Amino acid sequence: MGLAKRIIPCLDVKDGKTVKGTNFIHLRTAGAPVELGKAYSEAGADELVFLDITASYEERKTFTEMVTRVASEINIPFTVGGGINELADVERLLLAGADKVSINSAAFRNPSLIDNIAKRFGSQVCVCALDARFDEGRWYCYVKGGRERTEYELFERAHEMQERGAGEILFTSMNHDGVKSGYANEALAKMTDILSIPVIASGGAGSKEHFKDVFNIGHADAALAASVFHFGEIDIKELKQYLREENINIRL
């Protein structure tokens, strides 16, 4: 059956609170990140992702205090992203207790950062996040929390990141983000076909069936979601039981 598929709640953090938007805008508060993280850990989540969503835009560092508190409260792997620009940022977050770091805007400004993280800490530490929107017939990558479009094409960029040493790709479809109509399964299937490293799907979860489809049709290795978990629309234990009943290899 291969490696077990993973369910990953994502906590977007702004000003110390967990927030969630639609298409990267219209943010609403969802609770305290440390407490939510602990609840998800106890509910059976496989991993967590914490993203300081305005760190790159506001050019400030991700807070390490929250990372330290999270590490003391949970017993599953977690990834931290936002405002990571150099190896010293990675080291600081790993020492605070993070298992992996997610880089996005910095990897466009300085692609060699991927190489350097992989060489210094190992590929397993480096998650490369790609926010992309389907515009005018192609997938364009965006940076700075979805505020700025680049001319980079999604699949070429994902392959380059893999070749530089990324351990995983976290692909968020901005078209699907918060809409709850399902993941970008066609693009995900293409990406998983091109890459040999795991792909985490993000953007579009609205039902248990969407998780089934992202694994069966999108061939994703992990499914990340936010609002359906934050606002109690889908229970993680029930979701994982459903997926097991649908013959998807998942840890209960």
Side-chain angles (χ1 to χ4, degrees):
M1 294 178 73
L3 292 174
K5 304 294 187 180
R6 290 170 286 151
I7 300 297
I8 307 177
C10 179
L11 296 91
D12 292 338
V13 180
K14 183 177 188 288
D15 302 327
K17 298 184 180 70
T18 307
V19 296
K20 186 66 192 98
T22 303
N23 303 127
F24 280 45
I25 54 175
H26 307 307
L27 300 178
R28 56 179 174 151
T29 303
V34 178
E35 286 74 10
L36 268 178
K38 183 179 181 182
Y40 289 141
S41 177
E42 293 171 350
D46 297 294
E47 296 183 20
L48 296 173
V49 171
F50 291 84
L51 299 176
D52 189 337
I53 60 170
T54 55
S56 294
Y57 178 62
E58 296 172 4
E59 297 183 352
R60 58 181 169 72
K61 305 292 186 187
T62 302
F63 294 114
T64 55
E65 180 188 322
M66 186 202 76
V67 175
T68 303
R69 289 169 57 213
V70 168
S72 70
E73 294 284 353
I74 71 172
N75 57 7
I76 57 175
F78 71 103
T79 300
V80 178
I84 297 168
N85 296 302
E86 56 191 7
L87 288 179
D89 296 327
V90 179
E91 187 166 33
R92 177 166 48 84
L93 292 166
L94 294 178
L95 287 172
D99 297 278
K100 310 176 196 177
V101 295
S102 172
I103 58 172
N104 189 332
S105 299
F108 285 84
R109 288 193 305 272
N110 177 22
S112 64
L113 180 61
I114 303 168
D115 307 68
N116 294 335
I117 293 172
K119 286 173 187 167
R120 176 81 175 273
F121 304 106
S123 290
Q124 77 284 352
V125 163
C126 186
V127 179
C128 283
L130 288 169
D131 300 329
R133 183 187 292 278
F134 192 71
D135 291 330
E136 300 156 9
R138 70 189 289 244
W139 285 93
Y140 287 94
C141 295
Y142 280 68
V143 294
K144 296 185 179 177
R147 292 173 178 83
E148 189 177 300
R149 189 173 103 171
T150 73
E151 290 307 305
Y152 288 102
E153 195 269 342
L154 172 65
F155 304 106
E156 292 172 4
R157 191 65 179 158
H159 187 264
E160 181 191 343
M161 288 174 161
Q162 171 183 276
E163 296 307 294
R164 285 184 174 275
E168 292 181 284
I169 298 293
L170 168 54
F171 162 44
T172 301
S173 166
M174 295 174 64
N175 304 77
H176 295 74
D177 177 66
V179 180
K180 300 183 183 177
S181 60
Y183 291 89
N185 291 320
E186 187 177 327
L188 283 160
K190 182 174 179 178
M191 183 176 288
T192 55
D193 190 48
I194 291 169
L195 302 181
S196 59
I197 58 175
V199 174
I200 304 167
S202 171
S207 70
K208 295 174 187 174
E209 289 75 22
H210 293 156
F211 287 88
K212 178 183 72 171
D213 290 344
V214 80
F215 294 133
N216 286 340
I217 301 171
H219 303 152
D221 298 275
L224 180 145
S227 59
V228 291
F229 297 142
H230 298 340
F231 302 114
E233 296 163 37
I234 295 178
D235 177 83
I236 291 176
K237 281 190 171 72
E238 291 176 7
L239 170 63
K240 295 183 96 174
Q241 189 63 52
Y242 163 80
L243 293 172
R244 176 65 70 87
E245 290 167 1
E246 293 291 329
N247 297 314
I248 291 167
N249 185 15
I250 197 110
R251 296 184 194 89
L252 294 180

